[in-house]
Amino acid sequence: MFRTKYAELGPMSFAEGSVMAIFLTLVGLWFFRAPGFIAGWSSGFQLGFISDATPAVFMAVVLFLWPRRLPTYQRPQDGKPLPHPRKYEAILSWKVVAQKFPWDIVLFLGGALALAEGVKISGLTEVIKDQLEGVGSLAPLAVIVIVSLIVTFCTEVASNTAMASIFLPVVAGLAEVAEIHPLYYMLPVTVCCSFAFMFPVATAPNAIVFSSGFLKVTDMAKAGLPLNFGCLALMLGSLHTFGNWAFDLDNYPAWAPLQRNITATYPSLI
């Protein structure tokens, strides 16, 4: 069946080859923007002037300019007039974008990013930190379960980066106070930031799937809720098995600061 479907596609057209070449060029620009082992092409610009969005927007503009068909040039022969020239058409037109581009998904993701930024600016992050300080008196396993549940369901409506920036400093401080390996708290929080399965706004892949039009939000929520709890259980099991073996989570590491040393050195901070 796959060979039949592949044969039905026929040879690659000029437009398809052009799109592939533009995409590979975009990947190359992303990779060599600042690869680390050599000076990237972004070093020729002012610091902070170039981001990953710059080549993406540039390649999108190229799609609006690049022709769909290979240009042909003919010369008149025997005094015969040239045939009607082929009409120029770009690979991408604004009419197609306006009709088929998932603008609702863009608003979904934009709203999530705006919500995450609003949480930071409004001071809600500090309120969350203050509320979680009382959790430190519980057993370490209870702390992990509570914080993991909070992060798992908060990341459904906020970006992964926002959740990590909010909760990682909190749990790191809780680990230092309790003299528990910081990674014992931080690893679950980091992993749970990616448990975004329930809503289209949670992450870009969810939005892409939702834009197909075959799913409703309720369908994604019904399938995502069991996934959230299943991944939580798998994460907890992995943390206490090979996670403990890999990071020696039972012992407080030498590189982590001790709260009693901080108190003795800077008593005015307490």
Side-chain angles (χ1 to χ4, degrees):
M1 183 181 68
F2 290 105
R3 292 182 178 178
T4 303
K5 293 295 182 181
Y6 180 77
E8 291 177 357
L9 293 176
M12 181 180 293
S13 64
F14 176 77
E16 293 169 341
S18 299
V19 172
M20 183 177 67
I22 291 172
F23 175 73
L24 294 177
T25 303
L26 174 61
V27 174
L29 290 174
W30 275 338
F31 182 80
F32 290 103
R33 180 177 69 86
F37 56 91
I38 58 173
W41 59 268
S42 62
S43 59
F45 299 86
Q46 184 179 355
L47 183 64
F49 186 76
I50 299 295
S51 66
D52 286 338
T54 307
V57 173
F58 177 73
M59 290 294 105
V61 173
V62 171
L63 289 174
F64 282 97
L65 301 176
W66 198 262
R68 293 182 58 185
R69 299 179 180 86
L70 183 66
T72 56
Y73 301 93
Q74 298 179 352
R75 295 180 179 179
Q77 297 179 357
D78 301 331
K80 296 181 180 179
L82 287 174
H84 186 71
R86 180 180 293 176
K87 182 181 178 181
Y88 167 79
E89 292 184 56
I91 294 177
L92 192 63
S93 65
W94 180 250
K95 182 179 179 180
V96 175
V97 172
Q99 292 177 349
K100 297 186 177 182
F101 192 81
W103 297 103
D104 52 343
I105 305 303
V106 174
L107 295 177
F108 264 131
L109 296 177
L113 295 175
L115 177 62
E117 189 66 21
V119 168
K120 292 182 180 180
I121 296 177
S122 65
L124 183 57
T125 55
E126 300 299 324
V127 175
I128 295 174
K129 291 179 181 179
D130 294 339
Q131 295 298 322
L132 288 178
E133 286 181 356
V135 180
S137 59
L138 301 176
L141 180 58
V143 174
I144 291 178
V145 172
I146 293 173
V147 176
S148 297
L149 284 171
I150 294 174
V151 173
T152 297
F153 289 99
C154 285
T155 195
E156 300 289 353
V157 293
S159 66
N160 303 356
T161 306
M163 289 296 99
S165 63
I166 292 172
F167 286 96
L168 283 178
V170 177
V171 296
L174 294 177
E176 292 174 8
V177 172
E179 295 187 10
I180 297 173
H181 200 302
L183 293 181
Y184 185 72
Y185 285 172
M186 298 176 72
L187 284 174
V189 170
T190 305
V191 175
C192 287
C193 287
S194 299
F195 293 166
F197 307 121
M198 293 179 62
F199 300 115
V201 70
T203 185
N206 290 17
I208 294 173
V209 172
F210 182 75
S211 65
S212 65
F214 294 103
L215 293 174
K216 299 179 181 179
V217 176
T218 53
D219 296 330
M220 298 188 68
K222 291 177 182 178
L225 187 61
L227 277 176
N228 281 344
F229 285 109
C231 289
L232 277 172
L234 183 62
M235 180 272 298
L236 291 173
S238 301
L239 180 69
H240 291 88
T241 52
F242 61 82
N244 191 14
W245 170 79
F247 299 105
D248 192 20
L249 300 178
D250 289 334
N251 300 313
Y252 195 80
W255 50 263
L258 284 172
Q259 186 69 20
R260 58 173 178 267
N261 293 341
I262 296 175
T263 305
T265 307
Y266 305 102
S268 61
L269 296 178
I270 307 300

